[in-house]
Amino acid sequence: MGHSDQKLAIFRGLLKFKSNVQKIWGVLIFLSIVTTIEVVLGIIKPEFLLKPFLRMKLLNWIFLILTIVKAYYIAWDFMHIRDEKSSLKNSIVLPLVFLIPYLAFIILLEADYIFDIMKDGIVSWDF
Amino acid sequence: MSTETVALKNIKHSDFSEHGNDAMKASYGKLMMWFFIISDALTFSGFLVSYGFARFKYIDSWPIADEVFTHFPFLHGVEAPMYYVAFMTFILIVSSVTMVLAVDAGHNMQKNKVILYMFLTIIFGAIFVGSQAWEWNTFIKGDYGALETRGGQILQFINSDTGKRAPIKDFSVKLDSDRLNHNPSVGVWYQTESSLPSFSLDEVKEGFKLNNNLLVRVQKLDSMGKKVVLNRSESLSKIQDAVGVVEGANLIHNEYGHRLFADFFFFITGFHGFHVFSGVVINIIIFFNVIIGTYEKRGHYEMVEKVGLYWHFVDLVWVFVFTFFYLV
């Protein structure tokens, strides 16, 4: 089942593993490090990261990016997308990569608009 | 035996083209699992995005997750924001690792290793579901209690001496009051009553008036992302707006802040927890199939791979739920 052609390198070939089992443990260590960074940042909340950037706190952007990094390694190495044919890889990843950010964009933009209306308009939600 | 049956026998169950070539080098079952995963991923994104909608709409009054999830089992009274969810996240990632190790052992036809790793995956999955049940229980019970205004605003209490939250059970006074029970003999119809909170509205209000060091904290966030605390005179007039006591959270009332927060929390973590639960059940079925040698006879362990895909997907979703509910 395509076992022989498993790709054993991560970080664009920076880190090569001898066997598939070794690669799995390597990815676990990497994911644990990323999670630890997230939790530590979430507890400390460094002052300089609380500045707004593109309508969101800088810290939240960092969390979002780290989450996507984690998702990438779970999908690529645990779900073996790395070893699939590019046609399968693309038909799984591309719909999600286009649809989800699109949905998020239109819905969150609308929510932001409603927030402004309730803040500056005469409508009050709390009576 | 006719030639037709011979030809049929030579076709592997996984083929779905006439020439025995699998589409995109993946078997039918695996492709169908990917179909399911993609549609489920879109379902979860729909939920998380609608959570985002509620949050951006009430961006200046949303509850602060660090203050909501501060408990750790066996550590009473210790403020431990996020440590428990971090632990849950780690459990789920480790279970993903044991799952992928089971898949790998399946490729090498090592039955005993598959059994061991499947077993560990099931155990870690069960720990995760149990942790989530504990998390829900703590969330539903609540810890400080609050008042709710007619407009659905939550008023929480702060001790101005320490700057910490003041639980309503610490300052409420005991007032004697009679509870009048409405019963069917007096009216044509009557509504059933929900259970009473531990303190009545008047008891909390009276206790608040007697303690001069108490202040009201409202849902609004200041520019630094902290909840606004009213001064004493503002607080005294604000509690006159209160219409009820809230302890803990359910789908209608939520002592932690905006009620939508509790609704989305129950719905999204519940939906994810249901996925984990079904994942554990499917894992158990496959586990017993491995033990009785079904896949050994079949000649390959592709079923383990397919259930593995589902299990990793559940882990993947948790990574996002963790970020959006607890971190951001």
Side-chain angles (χ1 to χ4, degrees):
Chain A
M1 231 148 282
H3 182 53
S4 51
D5 48 61
Q6 259 166 350
K7 300 184 180 84
L8 296 176
I10 60 171
F11 305 136
R12 303 205 153 268
L14 206 64
L15 204 56
K16 287 194 180 71
F17 294 102
K18 283 193 205 75
S19 69
N20 197 33
V21 174
Q22 220 180 31
K23 185 181 84 170
I24 294 165
W25 289 111
V27 173
L28 169 69
I29 292 167
F30 176 69
L31 290 177
S32 307
I33 292 171
V34 174
T35 308
T36 313
I37 293 172
E38 282 184 332
V39 172
V40 169
L41 279 179
I43 290 169
I44 303 175
K45 293 208 168 135
E47 202 73 33
F48 69 98
L49 291 178
L50 296 178
K51 283 190 223 102
F53 174 76
L54 289 178
R55 307 220 67 169
M56 219 158 75
K57 278 183 209 135
L58 201 56
L59 187 63
N60 290 354
W61 283 110
I62 293 174
F63 285 144
L64 192 63
I65 289 163
L66 289 179
T67 304
I68 292 169
V69 168
K70 268 160 76 177
Y72 171 85
Y73 281 100
I74 290 173
W76 251 246
D77 290 309
F78 289 171
M79 297 169 102
H80 300 296
I81 286 194
R82 203 188 286 277
D83 305 323
E84 301 293 358
K85 274 189 85 171
S86 66
S87 55
L88 180 58
K89 201 188 285 186
N90 290 338
S91 33
I92 292 165
V93 175
L94 291 183
L96 298 179
V97 165
F98 284 117
L99 288 176
I100 297 173
Y102 173 61
L103 182 71
F105 172 72
I106 53 173
I107 298 280
L108 297 184
L109 198 69
E110 180 69 13
D112 198 46
Y113 166 74
I114 295 175
F115 170 76
D116 287 342
I117 290 290
M118 294 208 306
K119 192 167 175 242
D120 307 324
I122 49 164
V123 188
S124 169
W125 72 283
D126 186 33
F127 28 84
Chain B
M1 203 183 278
S2 72
T3 48
E4 208 170 293
T5 46
V6 171
L8 276 175
K9 268 193 170 169
N10 287 334
I11 292 176
K12 281 192 293 166
H13 80 289
S14 59
D15 292 348
F16 65 127
S17 72
E18 288 169 47
H19 314 289
N21 294 322
D22 291 332
M24 300 188 275
K25 282 256 168 55
S27 71
Y28 176 80
K30 246 172 92 175
L31 281 186
M32 290 307 116
M33 184 50 92
W34 274 116
F35 260 114
F36 169 72
I37 287 174
I38 290 168
S39 60
D40 216 24
L42 291 172
T43 308
F44 268 109
S45 358
F47 291 158
L48 284 171
V49 166
S50 53
Y51 171 77
F53 179 88
R55 200 174 161 157
F56 272 68
K57 185 173 164 188
Y58 300 110
I59 194 90
D60 63 345
S61 59
W62 202 248
I64 301 165
D66 285 11
E67 296 176 354
V68 180
F69 308 102
T70 57
H71 298 276
F72 201 92
F74 311 115
L75 293 179
H76 296 288
V78 180
E79 295 256 316
M82 293 220 303
Y83 291 108
Y84 195 55
V85 256
F87 162 77
M88 280 165 71
T89 308
F90 188 69
I91 287 287
L92 210 56
I93 291 176
V94 170
S95 86
S96 245
V97 168
T98 55
M99 186 77 235
V100 77
L101 288 171
V103 173
D104 189 69
H107 280 311
N108 301 324
M109 303 298 283
Q110 296 160 316
K111 183 179 163 186
N112 287 331
K113 268 195 172 173
V114 179
I115 293 174
L116 171 71
Y117 288 131
M118 286 295 290
F119 179 73
L120 289 176
T121 310
I122 291 164
I123 296 295
F124 285 126
I127 295 176
F128 182 85
V129 177
S131 306
Q132 214 163 35
W134 186 88
E135 182 97 341
W136 270 47
N137 184 34
T138 328
F139 185 75
I140 291 168
K141 268 201 293 204
D143 40 8
Y144 295 104
L147 293 185
E148 192 177 313
T149 66
R150 191 185 302 280
Q153 279 243 41
I154 290 294
L155 308 177
Q156 297 168 332
F157 301 101
I158 294 283
N159 187 331
S160 59
D161 299 337
T162 59
K164 289 211 168 100
R165 294 279 303 276
I168 55 168
K169 66 171 187 298
D170 287 4
F171 63 82
S172 298
V173 289
K174 198 89 202 111
L175 296 178
D176 285 328
S177 61
D178 289 321
R179 185 185 188 189
L180 193 64
N181 256 327
H182 203 161
N183 56 55
S185 62
V186 237
V188 189
W189 60 271
Y190 79 116
Q191 279 181 309
T192 50
E193 280 177 302
S194 55
S195 59
L196 283 178
S198 347
F199 300 97
S200 76
L201 180 59
D202 288 333
E203 286 170 344
V204 177
K205 274 185 183 172
E206 205 52 46
F208 184 82
K209 282 177 196 151
L210 290 173
N211 289 286
N212 280 318
N213 58 348
L214 289 179
L215 297 174
V216 161
R217 194 173 85 152
V218 292
Q219 273 175 234
K220 269 257 175 304
L221 296 163
D222 63 17
S223 56
M224 284 313 293
K226 296 233 163 38
K227 297 271 175 192
V228 173
V229 180
L230 304 177
N231 62 35
R232 181 70 189 166
S233 60
E234 284 171 336
S235 299
L236 281 170
S237 65
K238 192 76 184 171
I239 59 160
Q240 297 310 321
D241 299 344
V243 291
V245 178
V246 193
E247 286 174 306
N250 53 40
L251 293 174
I252 305 161
H253 304 288
N254 172 15
E255 70 153 65
Y256 305 102
H258 204 285
R259 55 182 78 171
L260 277 176
F261 178 79
D263 294 345
F264 276 112
F265 175 78
F266 287 129
F267 192 67
I268 295 178
T269 64
F271 196 65
H272 177 264
F274 176 69
H275 273 76
V276 181
F277 174 74
S278 26
V280 170
V281 171
I282 299 167
N283 270 343
I284 288 173
I285 297 169
I286 302 296
F287 172 68
F288 282 113
N289 273 339
V290 175
I291 288 181
I292 60 175
T294 310
Y295 308 124
E296 201 71 31
K297 272 178 237 143
R298 197 176 283 177
H300 58 81
Y301 279 84
E302 207 195 75
M303 275 313 279
V304 178
E305 204 176 327
K306 277 179 267 192
V307 75
L309 279 180
Y310 176 71
W311 190 255
H312 297 311
F313 169 69
V314 169
D315 181 25
L316 192 75
V317 170
W318 178 255
V319 165
F320 283 92
V321 172
F322 172 64
T323 301
F324 293 128
F325 270 93
Y326 298 96
L327 289 175
V328 170

